[in-house]
Amino acid sequence: MPNIIACYKWVPDEQDIKLNPSTMALDFSKAKYKISEYDRNAIEEAVLLNQKNGGSVTALTFGNAGAKQSLKDALSRGPGKAIFVNDELAAKSDAYVTANVLAAAVRKAGSYDVILCGEGAGDTYAQQVGPRIAAILGIPAVTYVSEIKIEGNKVVATRKVGNCTEVATVEFPVLISVLPEINKPRIPSLKEVLGATKKPVFEYKLSELELSEDELTAKNNVKAIKGYVMSRKNVIYKAGTAAERVASLVGNLAQEGVL
């Protein structure tokens, strides 16, 4: 019966992000937050594996005080408990720092068999945290996984590599990053939402994780994030019949290499 840890990140909801037309800077001031869509797949797969094989599921996140509201949502999706590393440093952490913190939290939590991560974060999509955690813990990492089976003390994972698939069999402990197609995350019922408030949450402070100053210093510093605007030709076809206008449109698209 495997002990599974599902990592997730609390990210801005992309539909609430606005663009300042004068500076092209992204405006997050009115953005609500949510569990990253990719990480919802990781949580769901952890719960599905638990239902088939028994064991336990722990949700793990690193965030600032605002991420505390994510715990109820995460627990309503099926994990039996949650670990929250609470520190304002999370707001400016890169993949290097995040992986160090999560790996340290995994060590502090005790024994584990499988760590599940999403394919990438919903905000940065760096795709680095999962493999970095595995490297720090000295365990195998299996990425781009579309199907998981547990057989005894082994994981049988189907990976998508380009236009091909491959099957990897790995003994516990192992880290797996899953693709969105692996499952369809559930919408928690009212009973599950209410039940989430009764599940245990363990809050860790960075000082408890015994990380060095270097391990908590970001290697990548983002100076600004700006939106991209594509210049459009805005060609309007008015002359001729409808058939002639369609023919002109098709001809221009072919000339531009679109068709």
Side-chain angles (χ1 to χ4, degrees):
M1 295 189 293
N3 295 322
I4 303 173
I5 297 175
C7 302
Y8 74 89
K9 187 177 183 182
W10 190 237
V11 300
D13 192 330
E14 56 273 6
Q15 69 179 358
D16 296 332
I17 300 173
K18 305 300 180 182
L19 182 67
N20 186 320
S22 59
T23 64
M24 301 309 295
L26 299 183
D27 180 5
F28 295 90
S29 61
K30 297 182 179 179
K32 296 180 180 179
Y33 278 66
K34 65 179 183 180
I35 293 176
S36 169
E37 299 287 345
Y38 301 104
D39 295 337
R40 291 183 188 182
N41 294 110
I43 295 172
E44 179 68 20
E45 192 63 21
V47 174
L48 293 175
L49 290 171
N50 173 254
Q51 291 172 348
K52 293 176 183 177
N53 304 279
S56 65
V57 177
T58 302
L60 169 61
T61 191
F62 170 42
N64 57 18
K68 192 168 187 176
Q69 59 187 299
S70 73
L71 299 170
K72 184 178 179 181
D73 186 12
L75 290 171
S76 72
R77 297 175 182 276
K81 62 180 178 179
I83 297 173
F84 174 34
V85 183
N86 181 2
D87 198 278
E88 293 304 310
L89 181 66
K92 53 184 179 181
S93 294
D94 62 356
Y96 172 77
V97 173
T98 300
N100 286 332
V101 171
L102 293 178
V106 169
R107 286 198 184 105
K108 180 175 174 60
S111 63
Y112 64 93
D113 299 300
V114 181
I115 301 173
L116 290 180
C117 296
E119 180 185 8
D123 49 1
T124 62
Y125 197 65
Q127 297 180 292
Q128 292 186 30
V129 171
R132 282 181 178 274
I133 293 173
I136 295 166
L137 296 175
I139 63 175
V142 186
T143 55
Y144 305 111
V145 172
S146 60
E147 183 181 358
I148 302 173
K149 294 179 182 178
I150 291 180
E151 299 177 353
N153 68 335
K154 297 179 180 179
V155 168
V156 181
T158 301
R159 303 182 67 228
K160 278 206 165 185
V161 186
N163 295 325
C164 304
T165 60
E166 68 176 25
V167 177
T169 302
V170 188
E171 291 186 358
F172 297 160
V174 58
L175 182 142
I176 299 174
S177 62
V178 299
L179 294 172
E181 64 194 68
I182 196 168
N183 58 46
K184 183 177 181 180
R186 69 192 66 196
I187 299 175
S189 66
L190 177 60
K191 181 179 179 180
E192 289 170 324
V193 172
L194 294 175
T197 61
K198 301 177 182 178
K199 295 179 179 179
V201 174
F202 300 90
E203 185 170 320
Y204 295 170
K205 301 298 183 183
L206 279 185
S207 58
E208 301 175 51
L209 301 182
E210 300 180 351
L211 293 167
S212 68
E213 183 178 350
D214 177 73
E215 291 171 319
L216 296 176
T217 302
K219 302 302 180 184
N220 295 319
N221 295 310
V222 179
K223 294 183 177 180
I225 302 177
K226 293 190 176 182
Y228 175 77
V229 177
M230 179 183 294
S231 299
R232 301 181 183 276
K233 293 188 176 182
N234 298 320
V235 178
I236 300 176
Y237 301 91
K238 294 182 177 180
T241 65
E244 290 171 339
R245 293 198 296 271
V246 171
S248 298
L249 170 62
V250 172
N252 281 349
L253 290 176
Q255 185 176 358
E256 295 287 341
V258 177
L259 299 177

